[in-house]
Amino acid sequence: MLLDPAFLRLWTGNTASGLATWAMPFILGLAVLDGSLTAVGLGLTLATRTAGFLVALPLGGLFADRFSRRSVVLWAGLTAAVATPVVAVGVSTSTIALAAAAAVFVGAGQGACRPAFQALTAEVVDGPRRQRANAALTISVRVTTLVAPALTALLSTLLGTSALLLVTAAAWAVAALAPPKGAPTQPVAAVSERRWSPVADFAEGLREARRHTWFLAGLGALTAVIAAGYSATNVLLPVVSRDTFGTEAVLAGAMTAYTAGALVGAVLIGRWRPAAQGWAALAGLALYGFAPLSLLFPVSPWTVVAAYVLAGIGIELFNVPWFTAAQREVAPDKLARVSSLDFLFSYGLAPVGLALIAPATQAFGAEAVLVVCAVLCFLGPGAAALAPGAKHFGAGTGQSSRTT
């Protein structure tokens, strides 16, 4: 796929946006360690960035379906690139409000990019190659997750926090400028003749999502896994690592194993085409249930590590076919709006799960919370598999069922 110049430009832009998105919280954490930012300032800055992200997701979907997807990526990336230096100024001057306000715009750029990149992929890559393309995009994200911590820590010995943030601003600029133009989903004249109503356009995107029962069922399963399983393991894994095994090495090993497993899963699904792709993807998603289960019965550290490898493999066995199916089945002129709903519900509700896990653990105990989360991870995908169209994530043998 990387031999295709157009896809290489798309891959470069998407990778740069992923790197910039991941790096900012890590760099701000380093700022807390060196005393240039308080813990309160860190929390406020990250919270406002998340708020900007969640608000921009549906807006990005609306704009990307109304205007050029390439233009939305351009302006969203440039917004984040311009706002990031303001965050750097705010951190260096300890002006929390300044950094937080700028983080809103960084989050807005990040949020608007996500659905636009998904829709732009469908414009740049033809149908038969999209699964490999989505796998290649996922692999870049996972490699970044593995390599970036060490690289950022190394750069921090040479550069200060403000300089590191400027590096992420440059990454956002690459994300804005690198992607190519895609084939338009509909004639420009047809778009310009429609009176634009954000509420009506958003409702149209909701109707398109509701038309695909398999999509709603799969989104519900993904939301359950992320809000319950992912949140529980993120909150309770450090506790189990410390209290049960007496070392932070289990925490580090499990998180590394998850990323490595996801990398393996992305490579595998880039080539593998199961006959019942939807069911295979949902089975992969259900593998995340072994992560909270391993914390419930921590026989050995290797049990936890193995469970996280399985969870990582499974999440990409789901993600890549899921994105590919949406690009195939959803009406092209509504794809960005439907993709924004995907990110809004699945990842947008994750903070709710994170906020509820600790109180639930105090009220009912860690074991009860882990049991419930594991059951939800297994039952959610299982229930979704019963939905019409779930077997293939669409119509029959994968032929598109969308209307044009």
Side-chain angles (χ1 to χ4, degrees):
M1 289 301 305
L2 294 180
L3 297 179
D4 180 345
F7 178 74
L8 178 60
R9 291 177 59 186
L10 177 71
W11 180 88
T12 300
N14 188 75
T15 301
S17 72
L19 178 61
T21 298
W22 178 91
M24 185 177 174
F26 191 83
I27 294 170
L28 292 177
L30 293 176
V32 173
L33 294 179
D34 66 24
S36 57
L37 182 67
T38 65
V40 173
L42 172 64
L44 180 59
T45 302
L46 294 180
T48 55
R49 189 186 75 147
T50 301
F53 173 78
L54 294 177
V55 170
L57 267 174
L59 291 176
L62 290 171
F63 289 142
D65 279 343
R66 176 71 181 181
F67 307 105
S68 161
R69 276 83 187 258
R70 175 68 188 84
S71 297
V72 173
V73 169
L74 173 66
W75 289 108
L78 290 179
T79 297
V82 171
T84 301
V86 185
V87 176
V89 172
V91 169
S92 62
T93 58
S94 298
T95 308
I96 295 176
L98 178 64
V104 171
F105 293 99
V106 175
Q110 175 191 348
C113 269
R114 294 298 291 270
F117 264 120
Q118 286 288 10
L120 187 59
T121 301
E123 293 182 353
V124 171
V125 183
D126 58 83
R129 299 188 302 154
R130 281 182 195 151
Q131 184 150 319
R132 280 189 295 156
N134 286 315
L137 292 170
T138 292
I139 288 170
S140 73
V141 172
R142 299 304 179 182
V143 170
T144 297
T145 305
L146 281 174
V147 174
L151 180 60
T152 304
L154 178 63
L155 289 175
S156 69
T157 64
L158 305 173
L159 303 173
T161 300
S162 296
L164 286 173
L165 287 171
L166 292 179
V167 172
T168 69
W172 275 118
V174 172
L177 299 172
K181 290 183 179 180
T185 57
Q186 55 184 324
V188 175
V191 177
S192 60
E193 288 173 1
R194 289 201 327 247
R195 187 175 69 86
W196 188 49
S197 169
V199 174
D201 279 11
F202 187 74
E204 189 178 50
L206 285 174
R207 286 194 296 272
E208 174 66 17
R210 289 173 57 190
R211 197 170 65 82
H212 304 280
T213 308
W214 63 268
F215 178 83
L216 294 181
L219 181 56
L222 178 61
T223 301
V225 169
I226 292 178
Y230 180 82
S231 298
T233 55
N234 271 267
V235 173
L236 296 177
L237 174 60
V239 177
V240 172
S241 181
R242 180 197 64 201
D243 295 347
T244 303
F245 298 105
T247 174
E248 290 77 18
V250 176
L251 169 63
M255 298 312 295
T256 302
Y258 176 77
T259 302
L263 184 58
V264 172
V267 172
L268 175 62
I269 201 60
R271 297 286 182 181
W272 182 39
R273 300 293 188 276
Q277 191 166 77
W279 283 356
L282 290 167
L285 182 62
L287 290 178
Y288 204 99
F290 288 106
L293 208 58
S294 72
L295 302 181
L296 184 63
F297 304 109
V299 178
S300 74
W302 293 112
T303 305
V304 178
V305 170
Y308 272 80
V309 169
L310 278 178
I313 292 173
I315 200 67
E316 294 308 339
L317 292 183
F318 174 83
N319 276 340
V320 173
W322 175 254
F323 293 144
T324 305
Q327 291 161 353
R328 180 186 68 240
E329 298 290 330
V330 173
D333 60 328
K334 302 176 184 68
L335 177 57
R337 278 169 286 178
V338 173
S339 295
S340 71
L341 292 172
D342 178 1
F343 293 122
L344 186 63
F345 279 91
S346 58
Y347 293 99
L349 291 179
V352 177
L354 289 169
L356 294 177
I357 291 300
T361 301
Q362 290 181 340
F364 305 106
E367 291 80 6
V369 170
L370 288 170
V371 167
V372 170
C373 290
V375 169
L376 287 174
C377 288
F378 291 131
L379 290 185
L386 302 177
K391 183 175 182 179
H392 300 285
F393 277 168
T397 59
Q399 297 298 315
S400 176
S401 64
R402 69 192 180 196
T403 58
T404 55

